[in-house]
Amino acid sequence: MRIATWNVNSLKARLPRVLEWLEMAQPDVLCMQETKLADDQVPALDFEALGYTVLHHGEGRWNGVAIASRCGIDGHASGFGDIEDPYVGDARLVAATCDGVRIVCVYVPNGRAVGTDTYERKLAWLHRLREWLETHHSPDQPLVVGGDFNVAPEDRDVYDPAAFEGATHVSEAERKRFEALKEWGLVDAFREIYDSDRLYTWWDYRAGHFHKHLGMRIDHILVTEPVRARLRYALVDRNARKGEKPSDHAPLFVDLAD
DNA sequence: ATGGTAGCGCTGCTA
């Protein structure tokens, strides 16, 4: 079973690239973030033509999350439900069960700048995510949280820690909230496979950062122990960041044994 | 030199 996550930065603008990637990489499940679509704007037929069913949660313009699956998609859920959402109104969480694995697709708020209100609510959102997991799920069940976490967990996950001093994505508080998710019972699947630094999932569009390989590892696939036991492979497909009209994120996927 | 690019949508916000 191949499970992928990709911040597509507008599914409308990125549709040809996403369809091309589905055909090439053949994931069974793809979590998408920043679709920037309303539910009724989703190009469902384009996905169906490739064998995928899409579950979308979005209000249009900003945010928007979706799961495309070709191995079943049941038990739809979106948002935090009864748990207070610090970004209420934004579409940042959608979940479904695909072939026995609970898939949670998240788009963690960016936070903009340390000390701002949006940053404080980013911290709160990450805390609420753990609360939501505690309320609705168990570390004993096969579960995957895939998405754009907007957190680089360690210094080796950014191109130059000095350049990010005082910035979001690397602050102690953000990393603590990210660690708290792992403490609940999740493992960073990518780090189970790779130990190197300079492995990124996002590169700024500006100033030729991709070309200079100045990026950050902020997209993650976190898995519970039953999924970790099946983990065989992980990869960031940097080729998807090249060429015409790329997203600023590359897709990340994991392969699980049957 | 507080820059640079992309998306949405038409003004400036978000990332």
Side-chain angles (χ1 to χ4, degrees):
Chain A
M1 187 178 186
R2 176 166 287 179
I3 302 169
T5 183
W6 194 4
N7 180 323
V8 297
N9 187 15
S10 170
L11 185 52
K12 188 182 169 194
R14 213 67 57 216
L15 188 62
R17 297 295 305 255
V18 171
L19 297 175
E20 172 191 53
W21 193 78
L22 286 174
E23 288 201 276
M24 189 277 296
Q26 294 287 314
D28 297 294
V29 176
L30 172 62
C31 298
M32 288 172 277
Q33 301 84 37
E34 278 203 86
T35 63
K36 299 185 179 179
L37 295 179
D39 292 343
D40 61 4
Q41 299 175 301
V42 175
L45 291 176
D46 289 302
F47 284 88
E48 275 168 32
L50 299 181
Y52 294 88
T53 304
V54 182
L55 170 63
H56 185 270
H57 175 51
E59 326 291 341
R61 185 143 199 200
W62 289 309
N63 318 306
V65 282
I67 300 171
S69 172
R70 65 176 187 186
C71 60
I73 186 155
D74 310 302
H76 302 174
S78 59
F80 283 149
D82 290 341
I83 290 167
E84 189 198 327
D85 187 342
Y87 273 79
V88 68
D90 284 11
R92 297 183 175 276
L93 186 151
V94 68
T97 302
C98 306
D99 195 19
V101 180
R102 190 65 179 168
I103 305 288
V104 183
C105 171
V106 297
Y107 176 42
V108 177
N110 176 286
R112 294 186 210 168
V114 174
T116 60
D117 168 67
T118 52
Y119 171 80
E120 292 302 327
R121 287 189 290 128
K122 174 185 190 176
L123 297 180
W125 199 94
L126 283 162
H127 178 71
R128 295 301 190 189
L129 176 58
R130 173 167 174 164
E131 217 173 284
W132 180 86
L133 285 166
E134 282 170 356
T135 305
H136 296 281
H137 297 290
S138 155
D140 301 329
Q141 83 178 109
L143 180 141
V144 168
V145 186
D148 178 358
F149 285 76
N150 273 316
V151 176
E154 299 176 80
D155 280 351
R156 61 176 165 164
D157 297 316
V158 302
Y159 66 86
D160 179 9
F164 286 90
E165 214 167 298
T168 56
H169 298 62
V170 300
S171 74
E172 200 60 45
E174 286 162 278
R175 286 174 170 175
K176 225 173 109 185
R177 299 302 188 287
F178 183 79
E179 284 304 310
L181 296 173
K182 291 162 74 177
E183 280 157 20
W184 173 75
L186 294 167
V187 166
D188 183 341
F190 185 82
R191 281 291 176 222
E192 291 290 296
I193 307 292
Y194 301 98
D195 198 37
S196 324
D197 57 5
R198 294 174 53 78
L199 298 172
Y200 310 131
T201 64
W202 172 87
W203 299 260
D204 200 310
Y205 281 124
R206 298 169 286 188
H209 275 204
F210 179 73
H211 178 71
K212 298 180 218 162
H213 198 56
L214 306 177
M216 305 176 85
R217 194 175 72 90
I218 56 175
D219 301 87
H220 308 293
I221 293 179
L222 306 183
V223 304
T224 56
E225 172 56 27
V227 177
R228 191 213 57 76
R230 292 169 58 188
L231 183 65
R232 295 293 178 271
Y233 185 61
L235 189 75
V236 176
D237 184 4
R238 288 177 51 236
N239 285 322
R241 180 62 176 77
K242 302 173 184 171
E244 204 148 310
K245 283 177 78 71
S247 169
D248 44 354
H249 296 251
L252 160 69
F253 67 81
V254 297
D255 287 339
L256 309 181
D258 291 331

